[in-house]
Amino acid sequence: MAETGELERERLSASADPHDHVDIYDEDGLVRQDYLALIGEALEAEDVEFLRHNVARLHESELGDLIEALEPEERHALVRLAGDAFDFTALTEVDEAIRLEIVEQMPNEQVAAAIGEMNSDDAVYILEDLDKEDREEILAQLPFTERVRLRRALDYPESSAGRRMQTEFVAVPPFWTVGQTIDYLRDERDLPDSFSQIFVIDPTFKLLGAVDLDRILRSTRGLKIEEIMREMNHPVPAEMDQEEAAQLFEQYDLLSAAVVDENGRLVGVLTIDDVVDVIQEEAEEDLMRLGGVGDEELSDTVLSTSRSRVPWLLVNLLTAILAASVIALFDGVIEKVVALAVLMPIVAGMGGNAASQTMTVTVRALATKDLDIYNAARIIGREAGVGILNGLIFGVLIGVVAGLWFHDVSIGGIIASAMLINMLAAALGGILIPLLLDRLGVDPAVASAVFVTTVTDVTGFFSFLGLASWWYGVL
């Protein structure tokens, strides 16, 4: 078996062309097990030639998937044996815990050398998670200009456009001609790897406008840049939250946007590839927070995972005690009518599910700015209507089932009425609580679920047991 693996590695190495594409995925989109086995055998045999040939041919995202699929000790061996062929940009594609695990095992000199070869946005992505001491030591080893650029980006708030921006861009004065600009692009070696527009600035670096590359190529050499430039109607403030910046890209169909400081001076450029990452990251974050698990990642340890989940579980415990205390108020009627103990979880459970539906739609609408003060009343009215309609539908259904089940029409009527009340409360709680939290400056994705669940549990138990107590004359 080992001989077969060695022959396969030799075959791949002999046919390796840096420009060839290696399909490392199976039909399910996972890293192929046979490919993982070959890499594992090469790591064990320290087959440097095979590793360097194959690692060099992978796209950074493919290399990131490969790293995540390997065992921890194999990851370190891959980085060490691949040497210069290892693309450190791949570390931006893996979980934070894995990235830190790899970087912390490397000498700062090696990290600094890799950072120096990366685009500034990718470099910041790696540097921002490091300890301050290590970060400063790495920055100190970089050329002055690059060090200043990275420090400036790191000084902006986390999750801001300034953190996401790329500080490599092309800017020219307005009085240059198209010919001068084209000659500059041909002769200048220190240009970004790819760009789609050229920015126009004054001597103080204040942003005046931009010119798309296709417009330059279609213009005569004698035209001045100021004659063909367009004003930048949507520059992104460096302090702007990355999610708001992503919304600008979505609203105006942008491929890139200038990032400016508080004085309107050009400091960087935000590109569509970074914005796609932001959109995915924010969507995942909202989903995780709705479940009360924060920034948890699959690579986190048992201790860190438990620590991130405990706070909201504790809050849930307290709210569960509150709901239980409501049940305790009606212990007399529960003892008299045992059927109530069987049926009351249905009312609370249906209310919780209905509230989750409304809350999910509301939180997402708030995040995308689709829900605001102008349409809030209409949406609240719509959700209340949905709650009443669903309450009537499921109230009748459960009322019929409960009446036949326990041979008691009264039980059916009580649970049907309670279902209607709780479904309405669920609809209103699912939209009003996120709106209130958002108004108070609290992230509704984080805090809504526990409060909405409390509302539906308390309302469900109180309405059902309260109506039963009144009907059976226990209170």
Side-chain angles (χ1 to χ4, degrees):
M1 190 72 177
E3 291 182 0
T4 303
E6 186 175 349
L7 288 173
E8 181 65 15
R9 295 203 310 275
E10 289 178 358
R11 184 187 67 79
L12 287 175
S13 294
S15 62
D17 184 330
H19 302 290
D20 287 344
H21 177 261
V22 180
D23 187 6
I24 70 170
Y25 300 109
D26 59 20
E27 61 274 9
D28 297 320
L30 303 174
V31 180
R32 290 187 353 243
Q33 287 301 312
D34 60 328
Y35 185 81
L36 274 177
L38 283 176
I39 295 293
E41 292 171 6
L43 291 171
E44 186 176 356
E46 297 194 352
D47 190 341
V48 174
E49 183 180 358
F50 172 82
L51 290 171
R52 292 193 176 187
H53 273 302
N54 283 273
V55 167
R57 289 191 288 174
L58 295 180
H59 184 270
E60 60 196 51
S61 63
E62 295 174 331
L63 181 53
D65 289 338
L66 173 61
I67 291 171
E68 290 189 329
L70 294 174
E71 295 298 325
E73 61 275 7
E74 292 179 322
R75 296 168 188 154
H76 302 306
L78 176 64
V79 175
R80 176 175 56 84
L81 294 173
D84 296 338
F86 183 82
D87 184 0
F88 276 80
T89 308
L91 296 183
T92 64
E93 303 289 338
V94 302
D95 285 350
E96 179 183 339
I98 295 177
R99 179 166 61 252
L100 288 174
E101 173 193 316
I102 292 174
V103 173
E104 288 173 356
Q105 292 290 325
M106 300 167 56
N108 286 337
E109 295 78 9
Q110 186 179 357
V111 177
I115 291 289
E117 299 296 324
M118 300 172 67
N119 289 331
S120 57
D121 53 342
D122 294 327
V124 168
Y125 197 81
I126 291 177
L127 287 171
E128 65 183 356
D129 294 327
L130 301 179
D131 293 336
K132 185 176 180 180
E133 183 178 342
D134 288 331
R135 184 165 64 231
E136 291 301 320
E137 185 177 335
I138 291 169
L139 287 171
Q141 299 178 48
L142 298 175
F144 175 77
T145 303
E146 188 171 352
R147 181 166 67 247
V148 170
R149 287 178 177 177
L150 293 178
R151 284 188 190 279
R152 180 170 56 185
L154 288 166
D155 284 340
Y156 289 114
E158 189 176 354
S159 298
S160 66
R163 279 287 185 96
R164 285 289 191 177
M165 71 181 180
Q166 183 176 321
T167 56
E168 298 88 1
F169 52 83
V170 181
V172 299
F175 53 82
W176 273 19
T177 64
V178 170
Q180 284 178 289
T181 303
I182 292 175
D183 292 340
Y184 167 74
L185 296 177
R186 288 172 175 168
D187 297 336
E188 178 62 38
R189 295 186 178 183
D190 189 21
L191 292 177
D193 292 335
S194 62
F195 55 94
S196 61
Q197 61 181 343
I198 296 172
F199 300 107
V200 185
I201 56 173
D202 67 10
T204 65
F205 257 73
K206 189 171 182 178
L207 181 66
L208 301 177
V211 185
D212 293 328
L213 283 180
D214 63 306
R215 182 70 186 276
I216 289 180
L217 294 175
R218 291 170 180 168
S219 301
T220 58
R221 291 181 60 88
L223 275 176
K224 288 187 176 182
I225 292 296
E226 61 187 353
E227 296 179 53
I228 61 172
M229 76 175 188
R230 54 181 172 81
E231 291 186 6
M232 292 293 294
N233 295 324
H234 312 290
V236 177
E239 301 278 346
M240 177 182 280
D241 185 86
Q242 61 181 16
E243 189 170 7
E244 294 181 27
Q247 288 167 0
L248 283 178
F249 272 71
E250 180 183 9
Q251 182 176 358
Y252 297 106
D253 297 326
L254 303 176
L255 293 177
S256 62
V259 181
V260 297
D261 63 13
E262 63 275 9
N263 298 313
R265 292 176 301 193
L266 182 64
V267 293
V269 58
L270 200 58
T271 54
I272 187 63
D273 59 318
D274 293 319
V275 170
V276 170
D277 291 338
V278 168
I279 293 172
Q280 181 178 358
E281 181 183 306
E282 293 290 345
E284 290 177 354
E285 184 179 290
D286 287 346
L287 181 62
M288 299 283 275
R289 286 181 172 179
L290 280 172
V293 292
D295 298 327
E296 179 182 318
E297 295 180 342
L298 292 178
S299 57
D300 289 346
T301 63
V302 171
L303 184 61
S304 63
T305 301
S306 175
R307 188 165 52 241
S308 72
R309 297 184 186 183
V310 161
W312 284 111
L313 288 176
L314 179 60
V315 174
N316 277 307
L317 176 61
L318 296 176
T319 57
I321 292 173
L322 176 61
S325 66
V326 172
I327 298 174
L329 294 174
F330 302 97
D331 55 351
V333 71
I334 295 174
E335 290 177 5
K336 183 177 179 179
V337 186
V338 179
L340 298 176
V342 177
L343 295 172
M344 64 182 182
I346 297 176
V347 180
M350 285 295 293
N353 288 331
S356 294
Q357 292 176 331
T358 305
M359 180 187 64
T360 301
V361 172
T362 303
V363 169
R364 192 61 194 148
L366 286 170
T368 57
K369 308 300 183 186
D370 291 330
L371 179 59
D372 53 36
I373 191 173
Y374 302 106
N375 62 4
R378 179 177 62 82
I379 302 301
I380 292 171
R382 187 198 71 171
E383 291 300 327
V386 170
I388 292 173
L389 180 59
N390 287 344
L392 288 171
I393 293 171
F394 290 101
V396 170
L397 285 175
I398 190 61
V400 172
V401 171
L404 294 174
W405 187 357
F406 294 98
H407 308 289
D408 187 345
V409 176
S410 298
I411 285 288
I414 290 169
I415 195 171
S417 302
M419 181 71 75
L420 174 60
I421 294 170
N422 203 29
M423 292 292 271
L424 176 59
L428 293 176
I431 188 170
L432 292 176
I433 289 176
L435 281 171
L436 177 61
L437 292 172
D438 184 64
R439 188 69 179 268
L440 295 174
V442 179
D443 188 349
V446 177
S448 292
V450 64
F451 293 118
V452 171
T453 302
T454 302
V455 167
T456 55
D457 284 351
V458 171
T459 304
F461 292 140
F462 191 85
S463 60
F464 183 51
L465 298 176
L467 287 170
S469 298
W470 169 74
W471 182 259
Y472 290 107
V474 175
L475 293 181

